[in-house]
Amino acid sequence: MKTAVIGAGAMGQLFGARLIAAGEDVVFFDVMDQTIDALNKDGIELIVDGDATHVQAKAAKSADYTDPVDFVLFFTKGFHTPGAIEGAKHLFHEQTIALTLQNGLGNGELLVETFGPEHTLAGVTDYSADRAGANAITTSSYGSIAMGDLVADGVNSDAAVAVHELFTRAGFNVELFDNVNIPIWEKLILNTVLNTIGGATGLTLGETNGTEPGRRLTEAVLAEALAVAHARNVPVREDVIREHIAAVFAKSAGHKTSMTQDVEAGRRTEIDAIGGAVASAGEEAGVPTPVLSALCDVVRARTLPRSTQ
């Protein structure tokens, strides 16, 4: 399949590079001239557990590309998804498959409008990707992809099977789910707890877990998010979520979440697709989320444009 990776950040480059290394035809789409030029000139140095592999890469702005694509992998931030779809529509055909591995809620529903339910896949991943220079991405062999049909009927679609086989050939650990909402909501709750608290407080993960107020906030947000998931009849596994939260606290104590970093840099955050999406779902289901909603508003307030007068 000819694959398009929309959003050539660290995660997009990780996935694209591994597909290229497996012999797949991949093109990266991004809006940054610097990123496009670097990919075309230098390719990607992919470093997995210290072992480096170099791949050549093709990159462009979607408006400047004309060849149709068979598979589209979305790695933009959620608020860029509508524009990314619109900008690349001329590259899609009736059988083009789309997959979102983005954080938060709502991205898959946007894809369904363009690609249809039978060609729209959704999922989550916990593979890591970090920049190590201008054209290098570091990662580890640890990680997994959970994916499936966004609109499921109990049988994996041909599209889901084809993408599962594609990722398997590229060496990914990938699992197909009959109900992909389970892993999506489990990661959503993890991100809701860690990113919303971090974005609101500015604390590192270790500071959040190492203080009594931080632990109280963690338990309060987790309880509210779990209640929302249950009200929506998503059978999330609380023990799995708690294990993941504990693992992140243990492994990344000195780390500030991506939302915390966005707040401190004055960048737009994904609060409305993560914590805000859970709070909105709670409101629709009649489940109160007072702590989460307040923290979301703190994140929003911290990123309001500052007056220059």
Side-chain angles (χ1 to χ4, degrees):
M1 291 191 291
K2 185 173 182 62
T3 297
V5 176
I6 298 186
M11 285 297 290
Q13 290 189 33
L14 164 65
F15 273 72
R18 290 189 65 164
L19 290 171
I20 294 168
E24 298 296 328
D25 185 3
V26 177
V27 59
F28 296 91
F29 294 126
D30 205 86
V31 297
M32 300 293 293
D33 290 330
Q34 182 178 3
T35 299
I36 293 168
D37 292 343
L39 286 169
N40 286 324
K41 178 183 177 183
D42 300 318
I44 301 170
E45 191 84 1
L46 181 61
I47 305 169
V48 183
D49 296 331
D51 294 328
T53 300
H54 182 268
V55 299
Q56 296 296 324
K58 297 180 294 185
K61 292 182 179 179
S62 57
D64 298 331
Y65 200 80
T66 57
D67 293 345
V69 297
D70 306 307
F71 174 46
V72 189
L73 181 56
F74 284 84
F75 270 119
T76 64
K77 287 196 172 183
F79 47 77
H80 289 312
T81 303
I85 295 171
E86 186 62 32
K89 266 188 176 180
H90 60 288
L91 306 176
F92 310 148
H93 55 77
E94 290 185 356
Q95 299 301 314
T96 299
I97 302 167
L99 167 64
T100 170
L101 294 176
Q102 299 157 284
N103 288 327
L105 293 181
N107 296 296
E109 287 73 13
L110 290 171
L111 299 187
V112 169
E113 295 175 6
T114 297
F115 299 93
E118 67 278 9
H119 293 116
T120 298
L121 310 175
V124 294
T125 182
D126 60 0
Y127 278 104
S128 63
D130 296 292
R131 293 195 179 280
N135 72 321
I137 301 294
T138 62
T139 186
S140 75
S141 55
Y142 172 82
S144 62
I145 303 166
M147 55 163 283
D149 297 286
L150 183 65
V151 182
D153 59 4
V155 178
N156 292 318
S157 68
D158 291 343
V161 172
V163 173
H164 179 273
E165 292 176 351
L166 174 68
F167 283 156
T168 300
R169 289 197 302 272
F172 288 106
N173 175 27
V174 55
E175 181 179 359
L176 280 177
F177 276 72
D178 290 337
N179 184 356
V180 76
N181 281 310
I182 295 173
I184 287 174
W185 266 84
E186 287 175 351
K187 185 174 184 183
L188 174 66
I189 291 173
L190 170 79
N191 281 327
T192 291
V193 172
L194 301 182
N195 277 285
T196 309
I197 293 172
T201 65
L203 297 175
T204 65
L205 292 168
E207 290 167 343
T208 299
N209 191 45
T211 62
E212 186 59 34
R215 289 191 292 271
R216 285 199 300 270
L217 286 172
T218 297
E219 286 299 321
V221 174
L222 177 57
E224 291 178 1
L226 286 169
V228 174
H230 293 151
R232 290 175 60 96
N233 296 316
V234 182
V236 294
R237 301 161 292 182
E238 181 176 349
D239 59 334
V240 170
I241 298 169
R242 286 188 176 277
E243 287 174 8
H244 285 176
I245 291 174
V248 173
F249 279 146
K251 294 178 182 178
S252 306
H255 178 69
K256 289 189 175 183
T257 68
S258 58
M259 188 174 295
T260 310
Q261 295 176 51
D262 284 343
V263 170
E264 293 180 348
R267 296 188 293 261
R268 183 177 178 182
T269 75
E270 293 185 284
I271 189 63
D272 290 321
I274 300 177
V278 174
S280 295
E283 184 176 1
E284 292 174 3
V287 177
T289 57
V291 177
L292 174 58
S293 296
L295 290 173
C296 289
D297 276 342
V298 173
V299 174
R300 296 182 184 108
R302 292 189 70 193
T303 52
L304 285 174
R306 298 293 189 267
S307 172
T308 58
Q309 298 182 354

